Amino acid sequence: MKLTTLLAPLSLVATVFAQGVIEQSLTTVNEQALELQQAVESWKGSFLGTLPIIKESTDILDSIHKGTKAAKGSPPLDVLGAIGVAVATQTLAQSVNTTLTTLIAAKPKFDKLLLSPAILINLSLQKAATTKMSEVIIEKVPVELQPTAQELIKPIDAAFEFAIQRFHF
Ligand SMILES: *[C@@H]1O[C@H](CO)[C@@H](O)[C@H](O)[C@H]1NC(C)=O
Ligand SMILES: *[C@@H]1O[C@H](CO)[C@@H](O)[C@H](O)[C@H]1NC(C)=O
């Protein structure tokens, strides 16, 4: 049996694994972003009511860090894997937009509790963590698709920048 024949199923497994790990991480971050959106949307403005928001906000940072670690350990993506990651990135970009739009709408309530500076700090932390995660994921994308990957990340970056400006005084 030829060596390449022996290795073919292995590389297939590696590809599916790579696709799975990065996509799964993005899906987790996406789910957490939507949970944060829910928490902010259902918040009436009480101090105790901020607890679920703080929890979701902390969880999201945690899952971004975990995603970065997972992506670092992932083998490079092939074209098919990169497409899967691209789709997951677009879904995430949509959720980040919705979540941050909801967060901006709730700013007057955060202002009343003097919590806006804390939200601002965490938005900056989340933006930095997302940038780091994106860099690691882009390194795993085939070189010819990296410019496209950069484009897909841009709306996420822009959404954070937009929200950070709104929370800045
Ligand atoms: C901001 O993030 C830190 C670290 O994840 C967390 O401990 C803190 O509760 C968060 N604060 C808010 C207001 O979400
Ligand atoms: C969300 O997307 C819309 C439409 O592209 C854009 O106008 C808006 O600024 C975005 N909001 C955030 C917070 O990114």
Side-chain angles (χ1 to χ4, degrees):
M1 209 188 222
K2 278 204 284 194
L3 186 63
T4 46
T5 318
L6 267 172
L7 289 179
L10 264 186
S11 74
L12 189 66
V13 168
T15 299
V16 170
F17 179 71
Q19 188 182 350
V21 164
I22 297 179
E23 265 187 59
Q24 186 54 51
S25 302
L26 292 173
T27 303
T28 304
V29 176
N30 183 60
E31 281 163 4
Q32 235 124 39
L34 293 176
E35 277 171 30
L36 176 60
Q37 196 263 340
Q38 285 290 313
V40 176
E41 193 159 84
S42 57
W43 178 44
K44 302 277 191 292
S46 75
F47 192 77
L48 266 182
T50 61
L51 289 179
I53 296 174
I54 290 171
K55 182 195 174 288
E56 299 301 344
S57 175
T58 307
D59 284 355
I60 210 169
L61 195 59
D62 193 44
S63 63
I64 296 170
H65 285 147
K66 280 193 182 129
T68 306
K69 225 186 226 173
K72 258 185 200 155
S74 155
L77 294 159
D78 63 3
V79 171
L80 210 61
I83 290 170
V85 167
V87 172
T89 303
Q90 273 179 312
T91 305
L92 178 60
Q94 187 53 54
S95 301
V96 169
N97 182 297
T98 312
T99 303
L100 294 184
T101 301
T102 306
L103 196 73
I104 291 166
K107 184 174 179 286
K109 290 189 258 180
F110 290 118
D111 283 345
K112 254 185 213 157
L113 299 176
L114 308 177
L115 276 176
S116 289
I119 299 292
L120 176 63
I121 289 171
N122 280 16
L123 281 172
S124 307
L125 288 175
Q126 284 155 4
K127 178 175 191 268
T130 304
T131 302
K132 186 85 202 297
M133 181 174 72
S134 308
E135 282 169 6
V136 175
I137 292 175
I138 286 170
E139 277 173 24
K140 302 290 176 169
V141 169
V143 174
E144 67 273 21
L145 291 177
Q146 285 182 0
T148 311
Q150 302 272 16
E151 285 303 311
L152 290 177
I153 302 289
K154 269 187 191 164
I156 299 182
D157 226 39
F160 273 116
E161 205 41 59
F162 189 76
I164 283 169
Q165 273 170 25
R166 291 305 157 101
F167 273 86
H168 236 284
F169 349 84

